[in-house]
Amino acid sequence: MEWLIAGVKCLLVILLVLQLSALMLWVERKGAALIQNRIGANRANLLGIFPVNLGFTNTLIADPVKMFTKEDYVPDGADKFIHSLAPFLALFPAIITFAAIPFGDTIELAGRSIELRAVGIDVGILYISATVAMGVYGVVLAGWASNNRWALLGSIRGTAQMISYELAMGLAVVSCVLLYGTLDLQDMVRQQGQMLFGWLPAWGVVYQQLAFILIFTAGMAESKRVPFDIPEAESELVAGYFTEYSGGKQASFMLADFAEVVMVAGLVTTLFFGGWQIPYLSSQGLALPGMAVITVSPLLVSLLQVAAFLVKVLFFCWLQVLVRWTVPRFRYDQLMNLGWKAMMPIALLNVFVTALAILLFGEVA
Amino acid sequence: MSADKPLTPNRDGADPLSEIMEIQMGPSHPASHGTVKFNLRLDGETIVNCDTEIGFLHRGFEKMCEQGTWTQAIPYTDRLNYASPLINNFIFCEAVERMCSVTVPERCSYLLVILSELARIADHLTCLGMGASEMGAVSAGFYMVEARELIYNLTARVTGARVTVSYGRVGGLRHDVPGGFADDVRACIAKVEQVLGDCEKLLERNRIFIGRMAGVAVMSKEEAMAYGLTGPLLRATGVAFDVRKAEPYMLYDRFDFEVPVGSKGDNFDRFSVRFEEMRQSIRIIEQALADLPGGPVSVDDPAVVLPDKSEVYGSIEGLMNHFKLVIEGIRVPEGEIYFSGEGANGELGFYLASDGSGRPYRVRVRPPSFYAMGALSRMIEGHTVADVIAVFGMVNMIGGECDR
């Protein structure tokens, strides 16, 4: 039974990430169209059934079918094995990262208490840092194995970028760890359920605005999207490190990028925006400040919390789409300057100030 | 790149980082609109050397013009700078008119100015929009293309075509503008102005965008002049040279407008100069619309202008006139002329030679992009691969015009 529950949870999370990533493709296309006064993707509609094309048929059926039925081309002189391995190495870490992110409180079901996250790792944040760092292998190997100079240039850019921004991200995470005093993401979320001054939800962003901006920015750099899309920079490097990929393998790279978008949204939600917490709502019921507690069924609360988590994740996914279609892209040297000369020192300072504050005032949260 | 050549040659202990990477950007590359090829030699991301190859779009424009009558050359001029075909039309016609000593009616001149400036705005919108979207600001690019679309629709309403307009004629215009033209233009430029305001916020005050553009590909006044640059590229370096002011043609001396100049001669100045020029063009259009006179749009000269259709079908003189003009062409007096006007990219000049027959003896174009492409490698050497895109976007090479 334990195994079954674990399996179902894993399946849920994988499906969540994959479906969200696939949907992100549609959100991105439609969002871009919305921003640019266009109509956007509206062609694929299953038998014309849906009066309003919600894009599900587009992204969940039409696009994958199209991608996977295309010729899978491996260029001459490419290292066939590594060329095929690279998309997997890019996609795999992006998907498994979500395993440590809690999407709900412990739920009481049929006499069992089930923790709503795929894997109960008590060093969740380290696990996330580790898996995010693994994403760079896909980029390096794709560029290297393609035997194409554009791809190589793209992968060199990508490697430098991802490694640089991981530092800023890691340091920003350190200040969060100092704040919460734990490496366990579920613990962090639980701590954010408290109230500050009796009315303000003690979400991470209240204490760590800098770390939020740093992690969100570095996360966007990790997912290689505008303004940080220099590894692919379609106008400069053709398509960057996946220039020589087609069909399903190319779809894997795209999916990996979108999975990272979802992951960044999940991470930011968990660390700074209360994860699955809904302000004033707990398993005891709704407790608005200065009012009597209204009892709500614990199961309903749990479900609402899962929904709240999803809503928050979707919001940050949308925010990333918004940023992506608003700003131009950095140049390579500017990107490196931003990473090393701006974000790194700020992150270090943030760690120092956080540590000092905790030393002076004791545990903040 | 050949497949059998490994990416990592055995260097016998030499520093692998000292290796220069040769890479060919184009002729089929996402950013090589206009079909051009850059043979780049890269040290990491830095460009050591850039060898620009043009000519992929050479169609023998100048030779083709010699095969037909003067009027039959007009459709070819549409295909020079295809982002602003009206300007090419009008400057070519003006050159021929000067050879024939024909002065077009006032209404025609006003319409030429209005349509030229609309075309200039469309050209700049294309250039800046595409330039921005190649730098990742795709949305701003779409806004500008949307505004350009309004101008194209207007052009289509006036001329019947979006790009291949062939609207100018020696001695006037093909036909008068449709009714409600002035209101359409006013509505169009009002929307364009709105888009300009939006894009100014999105780009001109965007730190990433300024960071990408400022200080890149700096050119001094002297250098720019030595390379023969004209138009926005020259004005960005601070030289206030604009053919419309320097040697006024059409009726440009009647209108009050400024020639925007840059101060540093970098990429950002090229961008802002174009941006400001659109505002100035709008000023010109507003003034021209305010006192657009009535009257005919073509001169009353049977030697250059086709007779009215009622005359062609109703009288033998009209029919003969039509026949002679179509088959033999306009008899341009023997001689030669160099006439230039301010195209969207700079000085667009036509050198025309006539032997007195109805066909051009020689047509030669001075395309502004050709000279700009000569300066391109000097501009981007020492910068990075990403800057090639930004600089090339602002140089705004138009294949049809550059390669002819």
Side-chain angles (χ1 to χ4, degrees), chain B residues 33 76 78 113 117 120-121 191 244 278 280 312 329 340:
Chain B
H33 48 83
Y76 292 136
D78 289 343
V113 168
E117 294 312 308
R120 191 183 316 281
I121 296 173
K191 279 188 188 153
R244 291 176 294 173
M278 290 195 271
Q280 296 300 330
V312 178
S340 67

Side-chain angles (χ1 to χ4, degrees), chain B residues 108-226:
Chain B
C108 174
S109 286
Y110 270 87
L111 289 176
L112 293 185
V113 168
I114 294 170
L115 292 170
S116 293
E117 294 312 308
L118 279 174
R120 191 183 316 281
I121 296 173
D123 192 293
H124 285 349
L125 283 172
T126 317
C127 166
L128 301 184
M130 290 299 106
S133 74
E134 270 158 16
M135 271 178 272
V138 186
S139 296
F142 268 99
Y143 294 155
M144 290 195 183
V145 169
E146 201 187 342
R148 185 190 70 165
E149 196 60 26
L150 298 171
I151 298 178
Y152 271 14
N153 286 343
L154 191 63
T155 315
R157 220 166 105 62
V158 173
T159 69
R162 289 157 54 85
V163 176
T164 52
V165 288
S166 304
Y167 187 54
R169 286 290 182 276
V170 179
L173 292 170
R174 194 166 76 210
H175 49 69
D176 204 344
V177 291
F181 172 74
D183 293 334
D184 285 356
V185 174
R186 285 200 185 93
C188 175
I189 56 176
K191 279 188 188 153
V192 170
E193 265 189 319
Q194 199 187 329
V195 169
L196 291 186
D198 286 348
C199 290
E200 187 173 25
K201 280 182 226 152
L202 261 175
L203 297 174
E204 281 215 310
R205 299 185 208 152
N206 184 323
R207 278 196 58 183
I208 301 179
F209 189 74
I210 295 172
R212 282 293 305 270
M213 301 289 272
V216 173
V218 179
M219 265 215 153
S220 67
K221 285 180 188 180
E222 293 74 24
E223 250 182 321
M225 286 193 275

Side-chain angles (χ1 to χ4, degrees), chain A residues 130-166:
Chain A
T131 50
V132 164
M134 270 166 67
V136 75
Y137 286 104
V139 175
V140 179
L141 294 178
W144 183 251
S146 291
N147 192 29
N148 177 312
R149 291 177 193 193
W150 297 115
L152 186 65
L153 268 179
S155 75
I156 291 170
R157 284 178 172 195
T159 316
Q161 170 181 336
M162 291 171 88
I163 291 175
S164 312
Y165 278 75
E166 260 152 35

Side-chain angles (χ1 to χ4, degrees), chain A residues 32 35-38 76-77 143-144 147-150 152-153 156-157 226-227 234-238 324-334, chain B residues 1 3 5 7-8 21-25 29-31 42 45 134-139 142-143 146 202 206 208-209 211-212 216 384 386-387 389:
Chain A
I35 293 168
Q36 296 163 355
N37 291 344
R38 294 185 289 116
D76 271 358
W144 183 251
N147 192 29
N148 177 312
R149 291 177 193 193
W150 297 115
L152 186 65
L153 268 179
I156 291 170
R157 284 178 172 195
V226 173
E234 82 283 345
S235 61
E236 298 156 24
L237 301 184
V238 190
R324 190 243 174 279
W325 293 105
T326 308
V327 290
R329 129 180 7 109
F330 282 107
R331 200 169 56 212
Y332 181 59
D333 54 327
Q334 293 168 338
Chain B
M1 189 177 66
K5 190 183 165 197
L7 280 168
T8 48
M21 185 198 254
E22 284 176 22
I23 198 159
Q24 277 133 32
M25 200 182 236
H29 182 274
L42 299 179
E45 285 266 337
E134 270 158 16
M135 271 178 272
V138 186
S139 296
F142 268 99
Y143 294 155
E146 201 187 342
L202 261 175
N206 184 323
I208 301 179
F209 189 74
R212 282 293 305 270
V216 173
T384 62
D387 290 324
I389 309 309

